[in-house]
Amino acid sequence: QALGQISQRTISTASRRQVENRVPEHQKLFQEDNGLPVHLKGGVKDALLYRTTMGITMFGTIYAIYHLIVSSMPK
């Protein structure tokens, strides 16, 4: 019986919350023609994430190539 009351309360309180629909404003942002690629239209945060990802990727690639060269040399 207690489990039924808890589940009833959880379901009923979840339906009362009103969440603002922000999809139309995101659609406007991503559909406007401002010359930016989609992965950078989110602003500074997207640019920072992109540059961080590219930096880590370049570091990993150079690191892997370095270790391939070192391991191919005889000792």
Side-chain angles (χ1 to χ4, degrees):
Q1 192 175 29
L3 181 62
Q5 288 177 345
I6 291 172
S7 64
Q8 184 82 17
R9 193 174 339 159
T10 304
I11 292 170
S12 65
T13 56
S15 64
R16 286 188 205 157
R17 282 188 215 142
Q18 293 295 326
V19 178
E20 181 185 352
N21 185 9
R22 295 175 48 197
V23 171
E25 59 189 64
H26 284 292
Q27 284 177 335
K28 285 180 189 175
L29 173 72
F30 287 104
Q31 288 177 356
E32 74 182 32
D33 187 20
N34 57 3
L36 289 174
V38 172
H39 62 275
L40 294 177
K41 285 193 176 190
V44 175
K45 187 173 95 172
D46 281 351
L48 183 65
L49 285 170
Y50 175 74
R51 289 182 182 179
T52 303
T53 303
M54 287 300 112
I56 292 170
T57 302
M58 290 302 294
F59 174 76
T61 303
I62 292 168
Y63 188 73
I65 290 171
Y66 169 77
H67 276 283
L68 282 171
I69 291 171
V70 167
S71 63
S72 68
M73 299 289 178
K75 290 188 176 183

